[in-house]
Amino acid sequence: MSYVLSGKRTISAPTRERVERSIQQLGYHPNAGARALASSRSDIIALMMPLRTDMYVPVMMEIAMAVATTAREHGRDVLLLTDQEGPEAVRRVIGSGLADAMILMDVELEDARLPLVHESPRPSVLIGLPADTDGLTCVDLDFVATGRLCVDHLAELGHQELAVIGEAAAVYERHTGFAERTINGVRERVAELGLRMLHRPCEGSFESMAGALARIFDERPGTTGIIVQNESAVGPLLSLLRQQGRAVPEDISVVAVCPDQVATQTSVALTSVAIPAHEMGRRAVELVMAKLGAAGAGRARAAAPRETVVRLLSPRLTVRASTGHAPRLVR
Amino acid sequence: MSYVLSGKRTISAPTRERVERSIQQLGYHPNAGARALASSRSDIIALMMPLRTDMYVPVMMEIAMAVATTAREHGRDVLLLTDQEGPEAVRRVIGSGLADAMILMDVELEDARLPLVHESPRPSVLIGLPADTDGLTCVDLDFVATGRLCVDHLAELGHQELAVIGEAAAVYERHTGFAERTINGVRERVAELGLRMLHRPCEGSFESMAGALARIFDERPGTTGIIVQNESAVGPLLSLLRQQGRAVPEDISVVAVCPDQVATQTSVALTSVAIPAHEMGRRAVELVMAKLGAAGAGRARAAAPRETVVRLLSPRLTVRASTGHAPRLVR
DNA sequence: CTGAAAGCGCTAACAG
DNA sequence: CTGTTAGCGCTTTCAG
């Protein structure tokens, strides 16, 4: 029991002073490896990010940063993993004791990492919702509520015919869940309010957006409200609408689901539902810490109680310049 | 010398088989802490990222991903640090033996972390160039050459009056170096070729861009070539030019310094010099590995030879749809 | 309240 | 080529 003992034992003032002076003088740094070996905790949290850099990059980045800073506030470090290594990375990192816990980003509905998470002796937290959340701890934005919220806002302004411009088709095929959930929320609320809607996936490119818009106004010329959930489509959308002589918000109202930074940097500041990336990262770490604490509390470190925790963050809509009253029906 | 011994010793077939079978059966995982303690290497590389999420986010992300995947290919893991902890993070991580080496991103001209890097007993690699590179190992895009390259391209097309739309003023004030270096390259080449140029910083917003453009065409109505170095300004720039009735590339040619993804997602595909984020990350790891190897080679692990290595990546310009011959002087 | 001692699971050096 | 052994620097338990 050499030194300061991290306050686990009561220490008298003189001893503590003596020790702390020596620490200063010798430039002492406790050795991480030795500490990990003796205590069987590394004080490291692994964060597994998607390698794919084609979607929501700023959001991913912000989550990672929030995880890193929050972890440090709790005295933990973060190990950065990518999914290129495959699901086995979970076993490698946990099995070797390199990390005490894991945070998984970009969780898919049937995620290949889930079996490993279930058999892992260490706590994990998912950012995103898989199909079956049983026994898991998850954080995510409540995308169903997000969809409903967007519809509510447009409905209050008198819009009756809506269109959703979603993520690229590939995103839906990958079953990432969040895209579908938003659409479901929109559908529900549209049905409840007796409105009409159309849904078109869209890549980030101008061509793709041009196509999507053409099909929308072709099938439903009366469309006056658009909900976009696709960061990179926002710029093209606004440019094209302007090019087509459709004024925002006089002719068309636009609600985006995107980070605030994107919403405020466009030509017309966008009414939007923010993606609370920072809070998602922070919450994930806090849930991890809670689970780590709980594990230690159990006398003989009983197997974790296999609790299911799903923390859905409530969406918040910020009204900016891109939404307004529906134009009067001229006819 | 219990097991497979990672091939440091020659092992006979039968023994190896026996051992490997046991490993499989028992689901054995070498303990990271113990290994680190015994070998005094953690096989972890620390990566320190800027917390600031206002600039070049996709580039930062891509670098981080490249570092993570390349590190894994070399059997190393990556510890994610942010600069919120301050420069002391370097000492903490290296001093405790948590990491064997460091990669620092977003290096400023007079970076506060440099003194700690110099006194650190472990190798570091910087991504970016500080003012004084003596004794350091750095990787970066050759921004001076980038500036020259942009000018060359426009000059070949007959453009005589150029304008550079740069990063936000704050970036220059922070002395990150790369912004200045690009401008220097542009200035040099403009002078050599007897052209004229203007330089205006610019935030990412429409308003800021509108202001910058107004001042440019006000002072130099004959400007026909624009060089943009500011990801988030690209969208606004193109929109505003179109709005003002200036056709790209017929009236105005635009060369961007930005990731390829940005260059290809705009309304007019941009002629651009790519920021080789992936390669920067990969090279950084390779330099780290080389230094780690070199350190081990020295008999008594002699203090590193304090070598200076500055690896500047050559810029490559891709011609796309945004540049063309300068319009004939009508007069 | 504080000293002493026993490992944690590995690597590296030493004998065979 | 292979078995044995001595620590690596901490945390934790056991005596005082």
Side-chain angles (χ1 to χ4, degrees), chain B residues 193-270:
Chain B
L193 298 176
L195 311 178
R196 301 217 297 163
M197 69 159 280
L198 233 43
H199 168 221
R200 293 289 173 271
C202 182
E203 327 267 318
S205 69
F206 260 76
E207 295 70 36
S208 173
M209 177 57 76
L213 277 183
R215 277 178 297 140
I216 286 168
F217 288 117
D218 208 45
E219 287 186 48
R220 297 274 172 83
T223 299
T224 61
I226 292 182
I227 298 167
V228 222
Q229 176 171 214
N230 183 336
E231 293 193 332
S232 53
V234 160
L237 172 61
L238 293 179
S239 287
L240 284 165
L241 287 176
R242 194 178 319 127
Q243 223 168 284
Q244 298 176 1
R246 300 181 199 267
V248 173
E250 288 78 5
D251 302 328
I252 299 279
S253 284
V254 176
V255 180
V257 180
C258 68
D260 277 335
Q261 212 190 333
V262 171
T264 55
Q265 279 202 357
T266 44
S267 50
V268 182
L270 294 173

Side-chain angles (χ1 to χ4, degrees), chain A residues 33-292:
Chain A
R35 182 194 288 258
L37 177 56
S39 63
S40 53
R41 333 181 326 195
S42 62
D43 283 355
I44 288 179
I45 298 171
L47 173 68
M48 198 161 169
M49 294 188 79
L51 195 58
R52 209 171 344 94
T53 175
D54 65 344
M55 198 188 59
Y56 274 74
V57 179
V59 174
M60 294 298 174
M61 186 85 171
E62 199 178 331
I63 292 177
M65 288 305 171
V67 166
T69 61
T70 311
R72 284 306 306 145
E73 286 163 13
H74 291 266
R76 263 62 177 186
D77 272 293
V78 170
L79 198 76
L80 182 65
L81 302 177
T82 69
D83 51 12
Q84 77 142 149
E85 220 182 320
E88 293 72 27
V90 175
R91 192 185 279 129
R92 179 177 69 83
V93 168
I94 296 298
S96 67
L98 222 193
D100 297 336
M102 293 217 65
I103 295 177
L104 305 182
M105 291 177 62
D106 196 43
V107 176
E108 301 182 12
L109 286 180
E110 304 294 342
D111 203 287
R113 299 166 293 186
L114 294 182
L116 288 164
V117 165
H118 276 117
E119 77 184 27
S120 161
R122 302 300 186 115
S124 301
V125 171
L126 316 189
I127 297 183
L129 283 192
D132 178 10
T133 59
D134 200 47
L136 299 172
T137 301
C138 316
V139 202
D140 205 353
L141 174 61
D142 188 338
F143 281 98
V144 174
T146 299
R148 298 176 63 92
L149 187 56
C150 292
V151 174
D152 276 338
H153 176 65
L154 291 171
E156 275 170 21
L157 292 169
H159 298 272
Q160 312 252 24
E161 302 220 1
L162 312 183
V164 178
I165 294 175
E167 297 283 350
V171 174
Y172 293 91
E173 281 154 21
R174 207 192 301 131
H175 298 296
T176 318
F178 76 93
E180 284 93 332
R181 287 190 277 139
T182 309
I183 297 296
N184 290 344
V186 170
R187 285 232 172 79
E188 280 177 24
R189 197 73 187 124
V190 158
E192 288 169 15
L193 297 176
L195 311 177
R196 300 216 298 164
M197 70 159 279
L198 233 45
H199 169 222
R200 293 289 172 271
C202 183
E203 326 268 320
S205 70
F206 261 76
E207 294 70 36
S208 173
M209 176 58 77
L213 277 183
R215 279 178 295 140
I216 287 168
F217 288 118
D218 208 45
E219 287 185 49
R220 297 276 172 83
T223 299
T224 60
I226 291 181
I227 298 167
V228 221
Q229 175 173 216
N230 183 336
E231 291 192 336
S232 53
V234 160
L237 173 62
L238 292 178
S239 287
L240 283 166
L241 288 176
R242 194 179 320 126
Q243 223 168 284
Q244 299 177 359
R246 301 180 198 268
V248 173
E250 289 78 3
D251 302 327
I252 299 280
S253 284
V254 176
V255 181
V257 179
C258 69
D260 277 337
Q261 212 188 334
V262 172
T264 54
Q265 279 203 357
T266 44
S267 51
V268 182
L270 294 172
T271 293
S272 71
V273 174
I275 298 188
H278 188 88
E279 189 172 358
M280 288 164 72
R282 193 170 51 70
R283 294 296 266 266
V285 172
E286 282 164 2
L287 286 166
V288 160
M289 294 309 299
K291 287 178 103 176
L292 284 173

Side-chain angles (χ1 to χ4, degrees), chain B residues 56-279:
Chain B
Y56 274 76
V57 179
V59 175
M60 294 298 174
M61 185 83 171
E62 199 178 332
I63 293 177
M65 287 305 170
V67 167
T69 62
T70 310
R72 283 307 304 145
E73 285 163 14
H74 291 266
R76 263 62 176 186
D77 271 293
V78 170
L79 199 77
L80 181 65
L81 301 177
T82 69
D83 52 12
Q84 79 143 147
E85 221 182 317
E88 292 73 24
V90 175
R91 193 185 279 128
R92 179 178 68 83
V93 167
I94 295 298
S96 67
L98 222 193
D100 297 336
M102 294 217 65
I103 295 177
L104 305 182
M105 291 176 61
D106 198 44
V107 176
E108 301 181 13
L109 287 180
E110 304 292 343
D111 203 288
R113 299 166 294 186
L114 293 182
L116 288 164
V117 165
H118 276 117
E119 77 183 29
S120 161
R122 302 299 186 116
S124 301
V125 171
L126 317 188
I127 296 183
L129 284 191
D132 179 9
T133 58
D134 200 47
L136 299 172
T137 300
C138 315
V139 201
D140 205 353
L141 174 61
D142 187 337
F143 282 98
V144 174
T146 299
R148 298 176 63 92
L149 187 56
C150 292
V151 174
D152 277 336
H153 176 67
L154 290 171
E156 277 169 21
L157 292 169
H159 297 272
Q160 312 249 27
E161 302 222 359
L162 312 183
V164 178
I165 295 176
E167 298 283 351
V171 174
Y172 293 91
E173 281 153 22
R174 207 193 301 132
H175 297 299
T176 319
F178 76 94
E180 283 92 333
R181 285 190 279 139
T182 309
I183 298 297
N184 290 344
V186 171
R187 285 232 171 78
E188 280 177 24
R189 198 72 187 123
V190 159
E192 287 169 17
L193 298 176
L195 311 178
R196 301 217 297 163
M197 69 159 280
L198 233 43
H199 168 221
R200 293 289 173 271
C202 182
E203 327 267 318
S205 69
F206 260 76
E207 295 70 36
S208 173
M209 177 57 76
L213 277 183
R215 277 178 297 140
I216 286 168
F217 288 117
D218 208 45
E219 287 186 48
R220 297 274 172 83
T223 299
T224 61
I226 292 182
I227 298 167
V228 222
Q229 176 171 214
N230 183 336
E231 293 193 332
S232 53
V234 160
L237 172 61
L238 293 179
S239 287
L240 284 165
L241 287 176
R242 194 178 319 127
Q243 223 168 284
Q244 298 176 1
R246 300 181 199 267
V248 173
E250 288 78 5
D251 302 328
I252 299 279
S253 284
V254 176
V255 180
V257 180
C258 68
D260 277 335
Q261 212 190 333
V262 171
T264 55
Q265 279 202 357
T266 44
S267 50
V268 182
L270 294 173
T271 293
S272 71
V273 174
I275 298 187
H278 188 87
E279 189 171 0

